[in-house]
Amino acid sequence: MTSDRVVNFSPGPATLPEPVLARVREDLPPRGETGASVMEMSHRSSEYAEIHDGARDRLRRLLEIPESFEILLLQGGASLQFSMAPMTLMGTRRSADYVVTGRWSRKAVAEARKHGAVRIAASTEHEEFRRIPDSDELDLDPTASYLHLTSNNTVVGTQWRGFPEARAPLVADMSSDILSRPVPWDRFGLAYAGAQKNLGPAGVTVVVLRKELLDRAPDDLPTMLDYRIHAEKDSRYNTPPTFPIYVLGLVLEWVDDRGGLEAMERRARQRSEILYQRLDESDFYRGTVEPGSRSRMNVTFRLPSQELEEEFLAAAEDAGMVNLKGHRSVGGIRASLYNAMSREGVERLAGLMEEFQADHG
Amino acid sequence: MTSDRVVNFSPGPATLPEPVLARVREDLPPRGETGASVMEMSHRSSEYAEIHDGARDRLRRLLEIPESFEILLLQGGASLQFSMAPMTLMGTRRSADYVVTGRWSRKAVAEARKHGAVRIAASTEHEEFRRIPDSDELDLDPTASYLHLTSNNTVVGTQWRGFPEARAPLVADMSSDILSRPVPWDRFGLAYAGAQKNLGPAGVTVVVLRKELLDRAPDDLPTMLDYRIHAEKDSRYNTPPTFPIYVLGLVLEWVDDRGGLEAMERRARQRSEILYQRLDESDFYRGTVEPGSRSRMNVTFRLPSQELEEEFLAAAEDAGMVNLKGHRSVGGIRASLYNAMSREGVERLAGLMEEFQADHG
């Protein structure tokens, strides 16, 4: 299988572990005693319950999520969480602090403003989001209902190295770095993540929510936007996205087999360092973000000219490395290195960078 | 493959056509030039665009949906549409008519009441939902913003034979009979359906919406609940559930190959008639709904005692026929016969009914 596979640096939906894809193949009918695919199972069946609860429980163990948090498997992506979080968590205080570090936090702010007052605790927009603000730059409201941040910024390629200390509970969009780093749950109120980068295929959203915050929910929420209902019904109020959840479970199994969260974190550091080292050694490639804010998930850089960038992308594609084009809003090159990316894939890219520089530098 | 497969009468997620499952297997890596699974493709790639637009366009052709309607592929199931429909369509009139024919229409009413005034145009709840109301029983408000109905009721097993005439545009939850019957689009404002019964796997919701009604949307909707945004962005405002949409496309291809909507309707009639004929000929089995309201999708019946029902379910399971248990709220037997159910599967069930009656009648 490997030989034909491209190295897929897609920012998401992203590459999946090959053993997971092989298992999906094997599991398709004929399968076990029923001969039914997961796609054909009632979400009320015991067979599906095992898949669903298994994924949820494994995530709890891998991410060391305390029992004081609910783990929900929902639909709608982080974009729906941009609304659900303020609708529930602003409670009666109706004000929340947001740190703006990129395109996605800006979107989170725009949605939250429909439901209450948003204070901008810090923003690096005037610096084109090239860095994450320092803790002492955060202008925090001690009475804020929560402090929202985007833990990793896929477009520009920055990442919070640590999570800030605040009186308000942290709410984090972790779509692009979940399960690649430990989470200090004692400071957290809510973390959410679309699965399609680090966890599995598109179509399922992981929500980890401190149970005591459920009390803040107003009573007139649309049922599908009410965390309390999803918590009560174990994410099976209505039909969940059963197949994406099944693949999520397989990815979590794979993570477990590879050594769990610690291994994922180590591998993420190693993968990204291969590329950052190349950037630091070179005056041909230029990293686009401040070194202290570098993302381990999305490594972004420029070449001396746009023409060379296009040539580089074409050379990469010829060499079987795809989806390296930077986000349309910023241009340049972006290598997305989520959990399923192999070290070998990154080394191939580093090799190409060296060759390309030798030819064009 | 066939020999090991059970006949799966699940009410949803439901059985899928075997050629579709075979194709899913074949499409998993290694696949074509990229060696990437659909699950690993960026939703902004041209390869995925072909899958997405292909499914949408084929649905338009199969269901003869006029160009004056948008076709959206969303998340959240019919349950989220219970909220999105009133939030957009009640507009400034703030009153809508609802017909209550079962558990799901009751849920639709409860959600709509959070957004405006709901008039009950008719309800058969006092008759335990054993029938669909006649047109002349409908108490319609000529100024209603819309008239909502559930075209097929999975729990009790009734179905609207035709759609009512009303001044207000029809809004229909067609989750359990979409693509098994023609739709008089000239009378419709909106039709929505979770895919997991007649169209594909769970995780994608088809929404067909008359474009001119988009003007009714208020400006402060959460973006993810705003049909206008999804229409503008071609259902790719954020990452769509790419894999479920891909399987939806394969099912639609299969429907096309089998003769399209007309064939689906004919097959649905034939399948259900096999079972209804058995009920009519027997004084052992008893249909639970009025003959004029019988569903072609969910055939519900009782045996003389609950003990016999349990024995029947066990005998069915021994014979490789599963998921025939009635909904927990009503008991009895329910055979769900969606598009992918084979005539042979239904004949096997009819054969068992005959044998079982001979042994126990």
Side-chain angles (χ1 to χ4, degrees):
Chain A
M1 188 194 290
T2 314
S3 60
D4 280 350
R5 290 263 287 176
V6 290
V7 187
N8 181 1
F9 292 96
S10 170
T15 198
L16 289 168
E18 290 192 21
V20 166
L21 295 171
R23 176 71 188 280
V24 170
R25 254 177 97 92
E26 279 161 31
D27 279 358
L28 280 161
R31 174 189 195 269
E33 281 182 21
T34 65
S37 153
V38 175
M39 288 183 268
E40 303 171 299
M41 288 177 192
S42 164
H43 58 297
R44 306 285 175 210
S45 67
S46 58
E47 211 173 354
Y48 176 71
E50 212 171 288
I51 291 170
H52 188 106
D53 298 345
R56 183 199 58 203
D57 295 348
R58 197 183 292 266
L59 188 66
R60 188 181 292 282
R61 192 162 49 69
L62 284 169
L63 262 178
E64 295 180 12
I65 301 169
E67 287 296 332
S68 50
F69 284 76
E70 293 283 354
I71 301 176
L72 307 176
L73 304 175
L74 305 181
Q75 297 185 66
S79 294
L80 189 56
Q81 294 308 307
F82 293 166
S83 298
M84 287 177 71
M87 285 168 96
T88 291
L89 299 182
M90 279 183 164
T92 51
R93 297 184 214 173
R94 313 283 289 168
S95 175
D97 282 357
Y98 276 68
V99 185
V100 180
T101 53
R103 182 186 180 83
W104 292 101
S105 18
R106 231 166 30 196
K107 285 189 179 213
V109 166
E111 292 305 318
R113 284 204 163 119
K114 296 175 183 172
H115 306 288
V118 170
R119 281 181 75 258
I120 304 300
S123 169
T124 51
E125 185 155 12
H126 56 292
E127 298 166 69
E128 289 170 316
F129 297 127
R130 278 190 307 269
R131 64 183 189 92
I132 298 292
D134 291 331
S135 312
D136 57 13
E137 290 175 81
L138 302 181
D139 169 27
L140 300 177
D141 171 4
T143 71
S145 45
Y146 58 87
L147 170 61
H148 184 280
L149 58 85
T150 314
S151 59
N152 181 75
N153 299 277
T154 48
V155 172
V156 72
T158 61
Q159 188 174 21
W160 290 77
R161 200 45 63 236
F163 290 100
E165 303 276 353
R167 264 178 87 145
L170 294 181
V171 172
D173 176 359
M174 298 193 68
S175 292
S176 51
D177 66 357
I178 192 165
L179 205 54
S180 75
R181 61 190 302 179
V183 179
W185 292 111
D186 55 314
R187 278 182 270 161
F188 267 67
L190 168 67
Y192 56 87
Q196 67 270 14
K197 297 173 191 291
N198 267 310
L199 295 179
V204 54
T205 312
V206 168
V207 172
V208 184
L209 176 63
R210 185 179 289 275
K211 287 174 185 168
E212 66 188 40
L213 296 181
L214 288 171
D215 296 341
R216 294 193 187 172
D219 279 330
D220 55 351
L221 287 178
T223 300
M224 284 295 287
L225 304 192
D226 193 333
Y227 293 125
R228 289 173 305 187
I229 304 284
H230 293 300
E232 260 170 46
K233 301 290 186 182
D234 241 331
S235 309
R236 271 157 286 186
Y237 167 72
N238 70 338
T239 314
T242 51
F243 192 83
I245 289 172
Y246 145 77
V247 182
L248 163 66
L250 295 183
V251 171
L252 295 175
E253 241 180 279
W254 174 85
V255 168
D256 229 349
D257 291 347
R258 300 291 298 241
L261 180 62
E262 209 186 315
M264 292 300 118
E265 189 184 23
R266 189 178 59 246
R267 287 155 45 91
R269 197 177 50 239
Q270 289 169 345
R271 281 190 304 256
S272 58
E273 275 173 6
I274 294 171
L275 297 186
Y276 286 124
Q277 201 180 344
R278 178 77 53 225
L279 298 187
D280 287 339
E281 288 167 359
S282 155
D283 47 12
F284 183 74
Y285 301 104
R286 182 172 42 87
T288 56
V289 304
E290 289 202 2
S293 300
R294 283 172 168 174
S295 165
R296 289 177 180 158
M297 299 285 116
N298 312 94
V299 177
T300 52
F301 58 92
R302 308 293 313 231
L303 274 69
S305 73
Q306 215 178 311
E307 289 66 42
L308 281 167
E309 285 170 354
E310 275 159 30
E311 228 176 293
F312 180 84
L313 289 169
E317 201 143 338
D318 283 348
M321 289 176 273
V322 300
N323 295 321
L324 282 161
K325 197 171 179 173
H327 189 272
R328 60 193 181 281
S329 64
V330 294
I333 313 293
R334 169 175 57 178
S336 296
L337 317 175
Y338 302 119
N339 282 338
M341 173 57 63
S342 67
R343 190 188 166 113
E344 295 67 38
V346 180
E347 278 165 352
R348 255 169 81 179
L349 176 58
L352 175 77
M353 288 170 75
E354 195 168 346
E355 271 174 48
F356 192 87
Q357 180 175 357
D359 291 351
H360 300 82
Chain B
M1 187 193 292
T2 314
S3 59
D4 280 350
R5 290 264 286 176
V6 291
V7 187
N8 181 1
F9 292 96
S10 169
T15 198
L16 288 168
E18 290 193 19
V20 166
L21 295 171
R23 176 71 188 280
V24 171
R25 253 178 98 92
E26 280 161 31
D27 279 358
L28 280 161
R31 174 189 194 268
E33 281 181 23
T34 64
S37 153
V38 175
M39 288 183 268
E40 302 171 301
M41 287 177 194
S42 164
H43 59 296
R44 306 283 176 209
S45 67
S46 58
E47 209 172 355
Y48 176 71
E50 212 172 288
I51 290 170
H52 189 106
D53 298 344
R56 183 200 58 203
D57 296 346
R58 197 184 291 266
L59 187 66
R60 188 181 291 282
R61 192 162 49 69
L62 284 169
L63 261 179
E64 295 180 13
I65 301 169
E67 286 296 332
S68 50
F69 285 76
E70 293 284 353
I71 302 176
L72 308 176
L73 304 176
L74 305 182
Q75 296 185 64
S79 294
L80 188 56
Q81 294 308 308
F82 294 166
S83 298
M84 286 177 73
M87 285 168 97
T88 290
L89 300 182
M90 279 183 164
T92 50
R93 297 185 213 172
R94 311 286 289 169
S95 175
D97 282 357
Y98 276 68
V99 184
V100 180
T101 53
R103 180 186 181 83
W104 293 101
S105 18
R106 229 166 33 196
K107 285 189 179 213
V109 166
E111 291 304 319
R113 284 203 164 120
K114 297 176 182 171
H115 306 287
V118 170
R119 280 181 75 258
I120 303 301
S123 169
T124 52
E125 185 156 13
H126 57 290
E127 299 166 70
E128 289 170 316
F129 297 127
R130 277 190 308 268
R131 64 183 189 89
I132 299 292
D134 290 332
S135 311
D136 57 13
E137 291 174 81
L138 302 181
D139 169 26
L140 299 177
D141 170 3
T143 72
S145 46
Y146 58 86
L147 170 62
H148 184 281
L149 57 86
T150 314
S151 58
N152 181 74
N153 300 277
T154 47
V155 172
V156 71
T158 61
Q159 188 174 22
W160 289 77
R161 202 43 62 237
F163 290 99
E165 303 276 352
R167 263 177 88 146
L170 294 181
V171 172
D173 176 358
M174 298 193 69
S175 293
S176 51
D177 66 357
I178 193 165
L179 206 53
S180 75
R181 63 190 301 181
V183 179
W185 293 111
D186 55 313
R187 277 182 268 162
F188 267 67
L190 169 66
Y192 57 86
Q196 66 271 15
K197 297 173 192 289
N198 268 310
L199 294 179
V204 54
T205 313
V206 168
V207 172
V208 184
L209 175 63
R210 185 180 290 276
K211 287 173 186 169
E212 66 188 40
L213 296 181
L214 288 171
D215 296 341
R216 293 191 188 175
D219 280 328
D220 55 350
L221 288 177
T223 300
M224 284 294 288
L225 305 192
D226 194 332
Y227 292 125
R228 290 172 306 186
I229 304 283
H230 293 301
E232 259 168 47
K233 302 288 188 184
D234 241 330
S235 309
R236 271 157 287 185
Y237 167 72
N238 70 339
T239 314
T242 51
F243 192 83
I245 289 172
Y246 145 78
V247 181
L248 163 66
L250 295 183
V251 171
L252 295 175
E253 241 180 278
W254 174 85
V255 168
D256 229 348
D257 291 347
R258 300 290 298 239
L261 181 62
E262 209 185 316
M264 290 303 117
E265 188 183 24
R266 189 178 58 247
R267 285 155 47 92
R269 197 177 51 238
Q270 289 169 346
R271 280 190 305 257
S272 57
E273 275 173 5
I274 294 171
L275 296 186
Y276 286 125
Q277 202 181 343
R278 177 79 52 226
L279 299 186
D280 287 339
E281 287 167 1
S282 155
D283 46 13
F284 183 74
Y285 300 104
R286 182 171 43 85
T288 56
V289 304
E290 288 202 2
S293 299
R294 283 171 169 175
S295 166
R296 288 177 181 159
M297 299 286 116
N298 311 92
V299 177
T300 50
F301 58 92
R302 308 294 314 230
L303 273 70
S305 73
Q306 215 177 309
E307 289 67 40
L308 280 168
E309 286 171 353
E310 276 160 29
E311 229 176 294
F312 180 83
L313 288 170
E317 201 143 338
D318 283 347
M321 288 175 273
V322 299
N323 296 319
L324 282 161
K325 197 171 178 173
H327 190 271
R328 59 193 183 282
S329 64
V330 294
I333 313 293
R334 168 174 59 176
S336 296
L337 317 174
Y338 302 120
N339 282 337
M341 174 56 64
S342 67
R343 189 186 168 114
E344 295 67 38
V346 181
E347 278 165 352
R348 254 168 82 179
L349 176 58
L352 175 77
M353 288 170 75
E354 196 167 346
E355 271 174 47
F356 192 88
Q357 178 174 358
D359 290 352
H360 301 81

